[in-house]
Amino acid sequence: MNQNKFKILLQEQRNRVFSYSCYFLRNREDAEDVTQEVFIKLWKNMHKIDKRKIVPWIIQVTHNCCIDRVRKRKSVKETPKYVSSDNLDKIMVKTEKQADPELSFESNETHQILLSALHTLPERTKSMLLLHYFQGLKYKAIGTLLNTDAGAVKVAIHRGRKMLREKLTPHFIELTERCSDE
Amino acid sequence: MNKSCQDLRPMLSDYLDGILERKERSELEDHLQNCPDCQHEIETERQVINILTCLPYQICPERVTQKIEDATDSMGKPYPYKIKRQFHFDFYHWKPLYVGFALTLIVILILLKPFRPHNDGIEDSVSQEDLLKARNQAKWSLAYIAEVIHDAQKQAVDDVLMNELPKTFRKSIRSTFSIVKGEKK
């Protein structure tokens, strides 16, 4: 693969890598580092990767880099620069879908709460949820990536979903009440 | 929550994943129509899934892309992939070579045989009678050695039977084979 094709791939996949790292690490600087690391690894190993499997390879390497980062944090015991709930909206991007400011506000608020809840889950459950719903991987693919079977992935995802539901229920009730007041 | 809720709630996740059997699905749907608790639960879970699925993509900053491009430019082209030809030490693969080598060796040995010095020392100096005597002597010696070994083995077995085994075993063996000291039966 030549440099032009690599640049096209970079343009196509950079947001996917950056977003996953952002949501996983909850830190923009770390996510930027991970994105760089992933694409430099891709450039170095381009000749070894099957062209049809480049995207799964990118997802796998992104996940591994994120895990390495988390481990590094734990070993160095550095305080992760988590985005606080006040400026969490900086991490959110206003997409075209959220043109309505009211909708945008509500959706952002829900996303923030979801992200906060997501980070209280165990590392493995969080990664499974993100890989399944955000990256669109199937249970089997996640199982291969995380060295487990599809059944275990399914169970963990269901459990994670239940935990998120329990944490988000008060917020949904509040939203419903707010809507009914208006 | 009634009993039916308890039975059906574990199915909610499968229902949302769309992997529930038709019979169970219709059963659950019937239940959902009459149970506001389960309805609420399923709605909340559906919302969670929607939010997770619709998490927006973050825009990767241009400077990151620029850094990656600079780094790859400075590294140059990645090492081209070459399939290394490996030496397979496989007998079947190299069989013709081995056979050829063996045949060449045989031919060389045949050709070299006439030049080998003729050995006429030992065979001529010993007579046929002496050879026969020596062979018979060797045969008797071997027979004697075999007999000695056989005796030694028998002695060892008798010793074990008489001395090493517990009293009860010895009694039972005696009653069966009636071993008496000095006699062999």
Side-chain angles (χ1 to χ4, degrees):
Chain A
M1 188 181 281
N2 59 26
Q3 201 140 10
N4 287 335
K5 282 182 184 171
F6 175 78
K7 278 180 183 173
I8 293 166
L9 195 68
L10 175 65
Q11 294 297 327
E12 283 173 358
Q13 300 296 330
R14 60 182 183 164
N15 289 344
R16 177 198 278 262
V17 173
F18 183 68
S19 311
Y20 182 80
S21 326
C22 253
Y23 290 135
F24 195 93
L25 300 166
R26 221 178 157 196
N27 181 299
R28 274 188 91 88
E29 285 168 19
D30 282 351
E32 285 176 13
D33 290 347
V34 165
T35 312
Q36 282 183 50
E37 208 178 318
V38 169
F39 281 101
I40 287 167
K41 272 186 184 173
L42 176 69
W43 177 250
K44 282 180 181 169
N45 298 291
M46 194 69 101
H47 54 281
K48 292 177 192 168
I49 310 162
D50 186 353
K51 280 179 187 173
R52 292 164 295 176
K53 291 176 184 170
I54 281 185
V55 175
W57 187 92
I58 289 173
I59 294 171
Q60 181 158 13
V61 173
T62 310
H63 174 76
N64 292 343
C65 286
C66 288
I67 294 285
D68 287 346
R69 250 323 110 168
V70 172
R71 278 189 195 142
K72 205 174 162 186
R73 269 181 195 167
K74 279 177 188 168
S75 66
V76 179
K77 286 184 181 174
E78 70 180 45
T79 322
K81 294 167 188 171
Y82 281 146
V83 183
S84 66
S85 55
D86 297 333
N87 58 2
L88 193 70
D89 56 325
K90 282 178 189 170
I91 215 168
M92 309 304 297
V93 173
K94 283 170 186 169
T95 55
E96 285 177 20
K97 285 178 196 171
Q98 301 166 346
D100 180 4
E102 195 70 18
L103 182 73
S104 165
F105 171 74
E106 275 181 9
S107 182
N108 261 346
E109 197 186 336
T110 314
H111 279 145
Q112 286 162 26
I113 293 164
L114 177 101
L115 286 176
S116 303
L118 197 67
H119 283 276
T120 59
L121 300 185
E123 212 70 55
R124 207 169 163 79
T125 315
K126 181 176 78 179
S127 58
M128 281 177 185
L129 283 167
L130 281 174
L131 286 168
H132 184 62
Y133 291 109
F134 183 67
Q135 298 279 31
L137 294 192
K138 291 187 175 168
Y139 294 149
K140 201 179 169 186
I142 298 169
T144 317
L145 206 147
L146 301 177
N147 287 329
T148 185
D149 60 313
V153 175
K154 188 184 154 188
V155 170
I157 284 176
H158 285 183
R159 200 177 295 146
R161 230 157 61 181
K162 196 181 169 190
M163 285 153 102
L164 284 180
R165 192 183 70 207
E166 280 162 9
K167 283 177 183 170
L168 285 172
T169 305
H171 170 69
F172 290 139
I173 293 166
E174 195 190 319
L175 269 182
T176 321
E177 281 170 1
R178 208 186 291 166
C179 287
S180 62
D181 286 348
E182 284 167 9
Chain B
M1 198 199 297
N2 56 35
K3 200 186 173 185
S4 151
C5 285
Q6 280 179 345
D7 292 338
L8 293 169
R9 280 204 179 173
M11 292 183 199
L12 290 181
S13 292
D14 283 348
Y15 174 73
L16 286 169
D17 285 347
I19 53 171
L20 212 59
E21 294 290 321
R22 190 184 285 179
K23 192 187 164 190
E24 288 171 327
R25 196 176 61 209
S26 61
E27 201 180 337
L28 185 69
E29 279 169 352
D30 288 344
H31 171 78
L32 283 173
Q33 282 178 346
N34 305 315
C35 180
D37 283 347
C38 287
Q39 254 179 35
H40 175 71
E41 195 152 319
I42 210 161
E43 271 311 309
T44 322
E45 190 144 343
R46 199 173 270 152
Q47 272 177 310
V48 169
I49 292 170
N50 282 343
I51 299 163
L52 276 170
T53 317
C54 301
L55 274 174
Y57 267 138
Q58 303 294 307
I59 306 295
C60 179
E62 270 308 317
R63 59 190 157 81
V64 177
T65 319
Q66 195 55 49
K67 272 183 190 173
I68 294 165
E69 284 179 356
D70 290 347
T72 51
D73 283 344
S74 67
M75 273 191 280
K77 279 189 176 180
Y79 191 78
Y81 185 58
K82 280 180 186 173
I83 301 165
K84 287 179 186 174
R85 289 193 69 183
Q86 289 182 339
F87 178 78
H88 295 288
F89 197 77
D90 183 12
F91 175 75
Y92 290 100
H93 187 71
W94 297 97
K95 197 177 173 183
L97 193 76
Y98 290 140
V99 172
F101 182 72
L103 284 173
T104 318
L105 203 69
I106 290 164
V107 170
I108 290 168
L109 285 172
I110 290 166
L111 289 172
L112 285 175
K113 201 182 176 185
F115 301 106
R116 204 170 59 186
H118 184 63
N119 190 2
D120 54 356
I122 301 165
E123 285 170 16
D124 293 345
S125 64
V126 181
S127 67
Q128 285 294 320
E129 267 183 41
D130 290 342
L131 274 172
L132 205 65
K133 267 185 191 173
R135 195 181 287 167
N136 282 335
Q137 209 170 351
K139 207 192 273 180
W140 285 115
S141 304
L142 280 171
Y144 178 72
I145 290 163
E147 200 182 344
V148 166
I149 290 167
H150 183 72
D151 286 348
Q153 271 181 343
K154 277 209 162 188
Q155 188 65 40
V157 170
D158 286 349
D159 285 349
V160 168
L161 289 174
M162 297 305 291
N163 306 322
E164 300 288 325
L165 289 175
K167 211 173 184 179
T168 46
F169 281 127
R170 267 185 284 167
K171 274 183 182 174
S172 66
I173 290 165
R174 267 183 200 145
S175 63
T176 319
F177 298 105
S178 65
I179 296 169
V180 185
K181 268 192 177 178
E183 284 183 27
K184 287 178 184 175
K185 286 200 176 181

Coordinates of all heavy atoms in Angstrom, one line a residue, chain A residues 16 27-28 34 46 57 60 72 78 90-91 97-98 127 155 158 169 181:
Chain A
R16 N -13.0 7.3 14.0 CA -13.4 6.1 14.7 C -12.4 5.7 15.9 O -12.8 5.5 17.0 CB -13.4 4.9 13.7 CG -13.8 3.6 14.3 CD -13.4 2.5 13.4 NE -14.4 2.2 12.4 CZ -15.3 1.2 12.4 NH1 -15.3 0.5 13.5 NH2 -16.1 1.1 11.4
N27 N -10.2 10.9 28.2 CA -9.2 12.0 28.2 C -8.7 12.2 26.8 O -8.2 11.3 26.1 CB -8.0 11.4 29.0 CG -6.9 12.5 29.2 OD1 -6.3 12.9 28.2 ND2 -6.6 12.8 30.4
R28 N -8.8 13.5 26.3 CA -8.6 13.8 24.9 C -7.1 13.7 24.6 O -6.8 13.2 23.5 CB -9.0 15.3 24.7 CG -10.5 15.4 24.3 CD -10.8 16.8 23.9 NE -10.6 17.0 22.4 CZ -11.6 16.7 21.5 NH1 -12.7 16.3 21.9 NH2 -11.4 16.9 20.3
V34 N -3.1 7.9 21.5 CA -3.4 6.5 21.1 C -3.7 6.5 19.6 O -3.2 5.6 18.8 CB -4.7 6.0 21.8 CG1 -5.3 4.8 21.2 CG2 -4.3 5.7 23.3
M46 N 1.9 -2.4 7.7 CA 1.0 -2.4 6.6 C 1.2 -3.7 5.7 O 0.2 -4.3 5.2 CB 1.1 -1.2 5.8 CG 0.1 -0.9 4.8 SD -1.4 -0.5 5.6 CE -1.4 1.3 5.5
W57 N -8.3 -4.9 12.3 CA -7.0 -4.8 12.9 C -6.9 -3.4 13.6 O -6.3 -3.4 14.7 CB -5.9 -4.9 11.8 CG -4.5 -4.9 12.3 CD1 -3.8 -6.0 12.5 CD2 -3.6 -3.8 12.5 NE1 -2.5 -5.7 13.0 CE2 -2.4 -4.3 12.9 CE3 -3.8 -2.4 12.4 CZ2 -1.3 -3.5 13.3 CZ3 -2.7 -1.6 12.8 CH2 -1.5 -2.2 13.2
Q60 N -8.8 -3.6 16.9 CA -8.1 -4.4 17.9 C -6.9 -3.6 18.5 O -6.7 -3.6 19.7 CB -7.6 -5.7 17.2 CG -6.9 -6.6 18.2 CD -6.9 -8.0 17.8 OE1 -7.2 -8.3 16.6 NE2 -6.5 -8.9 18.7
K72 N -0.8 1.6 32.3 CA 0.3 2.5 32.5 C -0.1 3.5 33.6 O 0.7 3.8 34.6 CB 0.7 3.3 31.3 CG 2.1 3.8 31.2 CD 2.3 4.4 29.8 CE 3.5 5.3 29.8 NZ 3.6 5.9 28.5
E78 N -0.6 7.8 38.3 CA -0.8 9.2 38.0 C -2.3 9.4 38.0 O -3.1 8.5 37.7 CB -0.2 9.5 36.6 CG -1.0 8.9 35.5 CD -0.4 9.3 34.1 OE1 0.9 9.3 34.0 OE2 -1.1 9.7 33.2
K90 N -17.3 19.4 26.6 CA -16.3 19.7 25.6 C -15.9 18.5 24.8 O -15.5 18.6 23.7 CB -15.0 20.2 26.4 CG -15.1 21.6 26.8 CD -13.8 22.0 27.6 CE -14.0 23.3 28.2 NZ -12.9 23.6 29.2
I91 N -16.2 17.3 25.4 CA -15.9 16.1 24.8 C -16.9 15.7 23.7 O -16.7 15.0 22.8 CB -15.7 15.0 25.8 CG1 -14.6 14.0 25.3 CG2 -16.9 14.2 26.1 CD1 -14.1 13.0 26.3
K97 N -27.3 16.1 13.5 CA -28.6 15.6 13.9 C -29.1 16.4 15.1 O -30.3 16.5 15.3 CB -28.3 14.2 14.4 CG -28.1 13.1 13.4 CD -27.9 11.8 14.0 CE -27.3 10.8 13.1 NZ -26.9 9.6 13.8
Q98 N -28.2 17.0 15.8 CA -28.7 17.8 17.0 C -28.8 19.3 16.7 O -28.3 20.1 17.4 CB -27.7 17.5 18.1 CG -27.5 16.1 18.5 CD -26.3 15.8 19.3 OE1 -25.4 16.7 19.5 NE2 -26.3 14.7 19.9
S127 N -15.4 -2.0 27.8 CA -14.9 -2.2 26.5 C -15.8 -3.0 25.6 O -16.0 -2.7 24.4 CB -13.5 -2.8 26.6 OG -13.5 -4.0 27.2
V155 N -23.3 -12.4 27.9 CA -23.7 -12.2 29.4 C -23.1 -10.9 29.9 O -23.9 -10.2 30.6 CB -23.1 -13.5 30.2 CG1 -23.3 -13.2 31.6 CG2 -23.9 -14.7 29.7
H158 N -25.1 -7.9 28.6 CA -26.4 -7.8 29.2 C -26.3 -7.3 30.6 O -27.1 -6.4 31.0 CB -27.1 -9.2 29.2 CG -27.6 -9.6 27.9 ND1 -28.3 -10.8 27.6 CD2 -27.5 -9.0 26.7 CE1 -28.6 -10.8 26.3 NE2 -28.1 -9.8 25.7
T169 N -31.9 5.3 35.1 CA -33.3 5.3 35.4 C -33.7 6.7 36.1 O -34.7 7.3 35.6 CB -33.8 4.1 36.2 OG1 -33.4 3.0 35.5 CG2 -35.3 4.1 36.4
D181 N -44.1 18.6 32.7 CA -44.2 20.0 33.3 C -44.4 21.0 32.1 O -45.2 21.9 32.2 CB -43.0 20.4 34.1 CG -43.1 19.6 35.4 OD1 -44.1 19.0 35.7 OD2 -42.0 19.6 36.2

